[in-house]
């Protein structure tokens, strides 16, 4: 069975995948990224986050795993595709993008950094998390994600936001790679449109689901079906 690494989003944890994981036809390893879910604060750059993930892959003796990242985890994933392609079998972006932040988005990151420094983690999470769900999202899921976010430290949020703000644009990376890719976009994502989600995805598998940015929590059965079909195609060399 193929090894599959799952990387969660900003201020998240592997709990984001708890409904999805048992439905996947793979040996799943959901990593807790440094500075998240009560872990020690670590990297300050996307390269460093990717290096940490690769070190963890090697420590677990995972031979050329598939790596799928949600949101921030997707940014880490595209960095891995550029810098460690020979150590992967394929990659996926789940409600993420290969593109870098726009100048406007970078200013918003700076505002978020200032907010968490001045006001603390809870006000920041209370403002951030509901805005990645849609108006139709289950309030219980929103509350669960908020509680996960509360486990962050100020330093953890700041470091991750800086890494995201300063990350490389990886559209050319995913366009040029020979690794098979999967891009999943939620049509009710309040912060991203289909065009941005699928930048560089011309030669890869693309799927649209009727959920928000948190589709793996809202529709785990549908997203698992998409991922499982892609895994099957990768294993049989169809893509």
């Amino acid at each position: 069975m193929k090894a599959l690494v799952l990387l969660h989003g900003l201020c998240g944890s592997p709990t984001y995948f708890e409904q999805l994981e048992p439905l996947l036809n793979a040996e799943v390893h959901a990593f807790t990224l440094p500075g998240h879910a009560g872990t020690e604060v670590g990297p300050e750059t996307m390269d460093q986050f990717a290096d940490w993930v690769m070190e963890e892959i090697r420590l677990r003796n995972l031979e050329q795993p598939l790596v799928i990242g949600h949101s921030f985890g997707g940014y880490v994933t595209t960095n891995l595709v550029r810098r460690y392609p020979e150590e992967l079998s394929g990659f996926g972006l789940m409600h993420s993008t290969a593109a870098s932040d726009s100048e406007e988005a970078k200013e918003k990151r700076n505002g978020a950094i200032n907010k968490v420094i001045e006001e603390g983690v809870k006000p920041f999470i209370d403002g951030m998390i509901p805005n990645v769900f849609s108006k139709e999202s289950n309030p219980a899921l929103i509350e669960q994600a908020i509680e996960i976010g509360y486990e962050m430290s100020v330093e953890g949020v700041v470091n991750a936001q800086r890494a995201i703000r300063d990350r490389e644009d990886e559209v050319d990376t995913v366009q040029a790679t020979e690794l098979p890719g999967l891009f999943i976009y939620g049509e009710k994502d309040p912060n991203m449109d289909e065009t941005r989600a699928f930048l560089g995805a011309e030669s890869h598998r693309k799927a649209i689901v009727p959920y928000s940015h948190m589709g793996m929590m809202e529709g785990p059965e549908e997203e698992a079906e998409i991922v499982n079909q892609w895994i099957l195609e990768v294993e049989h060399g169809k893509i």
Side-chain angles (χ1 to χ4, degrees):
M1 186 174 287
K2 196 68 181 173
L4 170 63
V5 172
L6 297 178
L7 304 176
H8 59 76
L10 176 66
C11 300
S13 82
T15 304
Y16 278 5
F17 304 115
E18 67 177 358
Q19 300 300 318
L20 177 73
E21 185 173 339
L23 304 175
L24 296 174
N25 298 329
E27 175 194 323
V28 180
H29 299 259
F31 293 179
T32 301
L33 292 169
H36 291 69
T39 60
E40 290 187 16
V41 177
E44 298 180 22
T45 70
M46 202 60 66
D47 279 3
Q48 291 169 347
F49 273 102
D51 289 343
W52 180 91
V53 169
M54 185 50 61
E55 182 179 355
E56 191 70 16
I57 286 171
R58 291 167 179 167
L59 286 171
R60 299 189 189 203
N61 295 314
L62 306 181
E63 186 176 349
Q64 291 186 306
L66 303 165
V67 179
I68 295 179
H70 167 249
S71 194
F72 170 45
Y75 309 150
V76 180
T77 299
T78 56
N79 185 292
L80 290 169
V81 171
R82 173 165 54 86
R83 297 174 58 236
Y84 297 102
E86 69 284 351
E87 298 198 49
L88 307 178
S89 289
F91 72 98
L93 300 189
M94 184 176 281
H95 310 287
S96 189
T97 179
S100 60
D101 272 3
S102 65
E103 290 305 313
E104 180 183 0
K106 289 179 181 180
E107 285 306 310
K108 288 183 179 179
R109 301 276 181 210
N110 291 333
I113 289 168
N114 291 334
K115 180 179 177 68
V116 75
I117 290 172
E118 293 169 4
E119 301 179 15
V121 169
K122 286 195 172 185
F124 169 73
I125 294 296
D126 288 342
M128 171 194 159
I129 294 297
N131 289 328
V132 298
F133 287 88
S134 72
K135 294 179 180 178
E136 295 82 17
S137 296
N138 184 340
L141 293 179
I142 299 174
E143 186 59 36
Q144 182 185 23
I146 287 173
E147 290 297 324
I148 292 168
Y150 285 164
E151 297 182 59
M152 296 290 292
S153 66
V154 169
E155 295 81 4
V157 174
V158 169
N159 283 5
Q161 287 279 24
R162 286 173 175 164
I164 295 170
R165 180 195 65 194
D166 299 335
R167 74 188 187 277
E168 297 285 332
D169 189 282
E170 305 287 11
V171 174
D172 288 347
T173 297
V174 299
Q175 278 182 327
T177 185
E178 294 183 2
L179 292 170
L182 172 66
F183 291 66
I184 299 176
Y185 168 67
E187 61 185 3
K188 294 181 182 177
D189 192 321
N191 300 306
M192 194 187 322
D193 60 26
E194 180 182 337
T195 299
R196 182 169 173 81
F198 290 154
L199 287 171
E202 293 84 358
S203 63
H204 302 292
R205 287 285 178 265
K206 298 182 287 292
I208 299 174
V209 293
Y211 305 111
S212 74
H213 192 69
M214 307 296 282
M216 67 285 167
M217 295 178 74
E218 296 178 301
E221 295 86 0
E222 186 169 343
E223 297 213 356
E225 185 177 346
I226 292 166
V227 173
N228 285 335
Q229 180 59 38
W230 175 71
I231 292 172
L232 195 63
E233 292 176 354
V234 171
E235 288 181 333
H236 289 80
K238 295 183 177 179
I239 53 175

